[in-house]
């Protein structure tokens, strides 16, 4: 079986969030003697493309409305990745020094048209087309409706929704950019009077998956306007929990760590990583270290951090370290806190892959008070590195973390995203930390939870087989 993943992100090429981790891992776990899994993604002007060399395997032009643009298909010259990735270079539109910005509509539309135009030249077509998020949402529609892609109509295709908050909306004024189709079917593109690529994909894809079973259920009542559509289409929808790439996220071999460790020497290994964090960020090694890593957006509950952190730091004995970027106002407030809480709080506002790995290994607790969390990978990385997650029970967090008060429990869960509940959860963490034998036992226990892709990759293959 030949599977093609279409995605805007893929680790280690281009990463903004968890989408990259998923698309950088799932194909690895799908590639075996029966299955070939490849990725087609945009060619951006970013670190990875500057540091590697590519060969051109195809060149042509796309037409978008009245304009034409040249594009090339590039392949890496050296086998740097564990699976094949093809890059679509549309110099005038896609090759920018960012992954997402104000011009996403034109860029991802150009990408999707170029990809399907190139596919028209292939001798054999893929058995499965797997599209990720709204950036690739016009592909299921075009496969089904655009005249020039009629030959693709029988190719089974799947949409995975990593995050339904973002839907790629654009105005009907731009509909002429989409390769010609029967205008009687324009309703397939529309949701509430706007072109909505995510909705179009939900309507046209043969199957729709979300990245955790709980999120699938939650979308029926909370999907940023698409609730009724997801309820109507529920027969073809299924939640498949993401996994983690346990070759990248392995504390025994992770090159980013200050000291590698297994569950045999986790105490000394985790200590060395914590010491580095405390030395670097001027924090007291003897206090329990609570960390957050992620995008500073409403979905992650980050607007509540300044008040929650002040509350906790004023009244409890702990340190807090934050790594993230996003909302300008939140960033400013989190920066400003530094001078008032020198020695107990610090933050790195920005993106730093290496630091994130050290935090997963060296923090005592990882905070995830998310309002929306389709899956969440951070909690699974924390578990793998022996760090106790403190999560709001929603979406994938609900599916992967059991409260320590329950049978076989190992994390700290709360129900609502409110300062008081997060503060109480932090307090529970401090109490747990005070009981070091219990803390260490749990830390060891969580390292051996298997959240790797093995099981979920099989679920995807079964899903492909069911429509192939
Ligand atoms: P989302 O995709 O919603 O941002 P996930 O939990 O699925 O959330 O994945 C986030 C990924 O991005 C993880 O690999 C996390 O370590 C990484 N990440 C997020 N913010 C940062 C940051 N500021 N620096 C380094 N890594 C980050
Ligand atoms: C999205 C979600 C996150 C999920 C990731 C990978 O970015 O916000 O919860 O883990 O996609 O599927």
């Amino acid at each position: 079986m030949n599977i093609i993943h279409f995605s805007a992100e893929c680790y280690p090429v281009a990463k903004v969030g968890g989408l990259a981790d998923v698309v950088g891992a799932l194909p690895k776990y799908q590639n075996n003697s029966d299955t070939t899994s490849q990725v087609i993604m945009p060619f951006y002007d970013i670190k990875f493309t500057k540091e590697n060399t590519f060969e051109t395997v195809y060149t042509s032009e796309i037409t978008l409305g009245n304009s034409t643009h040249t594009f090339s298909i590039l392949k890496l010259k050296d086998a740097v990745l564990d699976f094949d990735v093809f890059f679509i270079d549309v110099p005038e539109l896609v090759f920018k020094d960012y992954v997402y910005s104000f011009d996403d509509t034109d860029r991802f539309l150009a990408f999707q048209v170029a990809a399907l135009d190139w596919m028209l030249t292939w001798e054999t077509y893929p058995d499965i087309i797997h599209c990720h998020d709204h950036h690739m949402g016009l592909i299921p529609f075009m496969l089904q409706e655009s005249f020039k892609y009629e030959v693709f109509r029988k190719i089974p295709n799947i949409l995975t929704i990593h995050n339904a908050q973002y839907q790629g909306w654009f105005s009907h004024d731009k509909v002429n950019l989409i390769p010609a189709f029967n205008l009687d079917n324009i309703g397939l593109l529309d949701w509430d009077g706007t072109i909505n690529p995510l909705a179009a994909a939900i309507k046209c894809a043969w199957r729709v998956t979300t990245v955790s079973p709980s999120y699938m259920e939650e979308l029926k009542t909370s999907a940023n306007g698409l609730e009724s559509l997801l309820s109507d289409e529920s027969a073809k929808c299924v939640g498949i929990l993401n996994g983690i790439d346990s070759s990248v996220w392995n504390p025994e071999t992770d090159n980013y760590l200050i000291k590698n460790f297994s569950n045999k020497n986790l105490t000394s290994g985790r200590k060395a990583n914590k010491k580095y964090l405390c030395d670097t960020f001027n924090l007291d090694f003897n206090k329990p270290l609570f960390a957050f890593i992620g995008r500073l957006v409403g979905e992650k509950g980050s607007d509540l951090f300044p008040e929650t952190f002040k509350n906790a730091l004023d009244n409890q004995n702990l340190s807090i370290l934050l790594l993230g970027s996003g909302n300008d106002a939140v960033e400013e407030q989190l920066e400003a806190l530094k001078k008032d809480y020198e020695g107990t709080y610090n933050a790195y506002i920005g993106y730093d892959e290496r630091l994130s790995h050290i935090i997963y290994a060296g923090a005592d607790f990882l905070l995830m008070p998310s309002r929306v969390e389709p899956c969440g990978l951070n909690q699974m990385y924390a578990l793998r590195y022996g760090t106790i997650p403190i999560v709001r029970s929603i979406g994938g967090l609900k599916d992967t973390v059991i409260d320590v008060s329950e049978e076989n429990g190992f994390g700290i869960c709360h129900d609502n995203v409110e300062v008081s509940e997060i503060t109480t959860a932090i307090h529970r963490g401090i109490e747990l930390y005070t009981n070091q034998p219990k803390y260490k036992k749990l830390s060891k226990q969580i390292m051996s939870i298997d959240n790797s892709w093995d099981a979920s990759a099989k679920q995807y293959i079964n899903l492909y087989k069911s429509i192939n």
Side-chain angles (χ1 to χ4, degrees):
M1 192 188 302
N2 255 312
I3 304 150
I4 303 286
H5 291 272
F6 286 94
S7 174
E9 300 178 40
C10 176
Y11 180 82
V13 180
K15 170 165 167 176
V16 176
L19 170 63
D21 292 9
V22 170
V23 178
L26 181 56
K28 273 193 215 175
Y29 285 75
Q30 290 181 329
N31 266 321
N32 56 39
S33 52
D34 299 328
T35 315
T36 312
S37 190
Q38 300 172 313
V39 172
I40 301 184
M41 68 178 296
F43 192 64
Y44 307 111
D45 184 9
I46 52 176
K47 192 164 174 273
F48 185 93
T49 54
K50 288 191 200 354
E51 287 175 355
N52 287 281
T53 47
F54 299 82
E55 59 181 311
T56 303
V57 294
Y58 180 77
T59 300
S60 187
E61 274 183 348
I62 42 165
T63 303
L64 297 177
N66 298 326
S67 58
T68 55
H69 306 269
T70 55
F71 76 92
S72 303
I73 307 299
L74 310 179
K75 235 193 129 190
L76 275 162
K77 273 208 168 131
D78 303 309
V80 191
L81 305 171
D82 295 325
F83 47 88
D84 283 340
V85 179
F86 293 94
F87 298 86
I88 301 200
D89 182 18
V90 190
E92 288 161 6
L93 294 174
V94 182
F95 189 64
K96 300 283 166 73
D97 61 1
Y98 47 80
V99 176
Y100 306 120
S101 192
F102 63 94
D103 50 359
D104 286 357
T105 298
D106 294 330
R107 295 171 69 225
F108 291 117
L109 188 52
F111 169 83
Q112 292 171 91
V113 171
L116 295 190
D117 277 9
W118 175 46
M119 242 173 65
L120 284 174
T121 68
W122 295 7
E123 277 169 23
T124 48
Y125 300 140
D127 299 308
I128 292 285
I129 288 182
H130 191 150
C131 301
H132 295 268
D133 270 351
H134 73 84
H135 325 103
M136 302 299 141
L138 294 172
I139 290 178
F141 171 82
M142 293 193 288
L143 293 174
Q144 180 181 305
E145 298 294 328
S146 288
F147 301 127
K148 73 168 167 174
Y149 303 133
E150 210 168 341
V151 289
F152 296 149
R153 227 152 266 186
K154 293 208 176 93
I155 306 181
N157 58 83
I158 287 190
L159 166 75
T160 292
I161 304 175
H162 295 260
N163 196 332
Q165 294 301 109
Y166 310 101
Q167 299 170 9
W169 312 266
F170 62 92
S171 134
H172 275 271
D173 301 346
K174 288 198 165 189
V175 75
N176 68 322
L177 301 182
I178 300 174
F181 57 94
N182 180 350
L183 282 174
D184 289 346
N185 294 341
I186 195 163
L188 290 169
L189 287 171
D190 182 275
W191 193 255
D192 276 347
T194 308
I195 294 188
N196 183 319
L198 189 69
I202 294 169
K203 295 178 202 177
C204 298
W206 292 26
R207 290 288 185 277
V208 176
T209 70
T210 57
V211 289
S212 71
S214 287
Y215 186 55
M216 184 83 257
E217 277 314 300
E218 289 159 10
L219 284 178
K220 290 179 195 159
T221 52
S222 174
N224 204 6
L226 299 183
E227 300 77 11
S228 62
L229 176 61
L230 282 151
S231 294
D232 291 349
E233 299 285 2
S234 63
K236 67 174 184 188
C237 297
V238 60
I240 300 180
L241 191 68
N242 284 336
I244 62 172
D245 186 339
S246 43
S247 59
V248 173
W249 296 94
N250 181 352
E252 285 185 60
T253 53
D254 188 334
N255 287 330
Y256 288 131
L257 298 192
I258 301 304
K259 180 172 175 181
N260 290 109
F261 58 95
S262 68
N263 61 4
K264 294 200 181 71
N265 65 337
L266 89 162
T267 305
S268 63
R270 287 176 46 75
K271 260 189 185 168
N273 286 287
K274 180 172 176 181
K275 181 155 187 332
Y276 170 86
L277 293 173
C278 292
D279 290 350
T280 310
F281 291 98
N282 182 29
L283 301 169
D284 183 345
F285 178 82
N286 295 312
K287 292 184 178 175
L289 178 58
F290 290 71
F292 171 85
I293 299 171
R295 298 180 292 121
L296 300 174
V297 294
E299 290 163 81
K300 304 284 179 192
S302 64
D303 46 302
L304 300 186
F305 289 174
E307 195 187 335
T308 312
F309 291 176
K310 274 193 230 165
N311 219 336
L313 292 163
D314 284 342
N315 300 303
Q316 309 192 57
N317 195 25
L318 76 164
S319 305
I320 298 178
L321 177 61
L322 174 137
L323 165 63
S325 62
N327 181 285
D328 290 344
V330 174
E331 283 186 3
E332 266 172 42
Q333 293 174 54
L334 290 168
E335 275 288 1
L337 276 189
K338 285 185 186 176
K339 61 174 188 330
D340 295 335
Y341 293 95
E342 238 185 273
T344 50
Y345 163 82
N346 215 330
Y348 178 90
I349 303 296
Y351 189 94
D352 189 329
E353 190 73 29
R354 172 175 172 267
L355 180 57
S356 76
H357 286 237
I358 303 174
I359 295 178
Y360 289 122
D364 298 302
F365 298 92
L366 187 80
L367 295 166
M368 295 185 76
S370 305
R371 289 197 176 86
V372 181
E373 198 61 84
C375 179
L377 299 168
N378 300 16
Q379 79 281 13
M380 298 198 254
Y381 298 147
L383 292 169
R384 186 86 182 84
Y385 286 61
T387 295
I388 310 279
I390 300 187
V391 307
R392 191 258 174 129
S393 283
I394 189 143
L397 297 174
K398 193 168 159 186
D399 294 343
T400 52
V401 182
I402 305 173
D403 192 90
V404 67
S405 64
E406 291 175 34
E407 204 186 334
N408 296 326
F410 48 82
I412 294 175
C413 303
H414 57 99
D415 291 331
N416 297 297
V417 187
E418 282 165 15
V419 173
S420 59
E421 287 205 20
I422 308 169
T423 311
T424 305
I426 291 177
H427 184 68
R428 287 183 66 205
I430 296 174
E431 282 186 340
L432 172 59
Y433 187 80
T434 314
N435 183 347
Q436 274 297 302
K438 184 169 181 191
Y439 180 92
K440 283 185 185 154
K441 190 167 166 254
L442 281 179
S443 183
K444 199 168 191 170
Q445 174 191 333
I446 59 182
M447 281 184 73
S448 55
I449 297 175
D450 182 7
N451 277 315
S452 85
W453 267 106
D454 288 323
S456 301
K458 278 192 199 115
Q459 275 181 270
Y460 274 112
I461 297 286
N462 289 339
L463 183 68
Y464 301 154
K465 283 184 180 156
S466 72
I467 51 173
N468 198 265

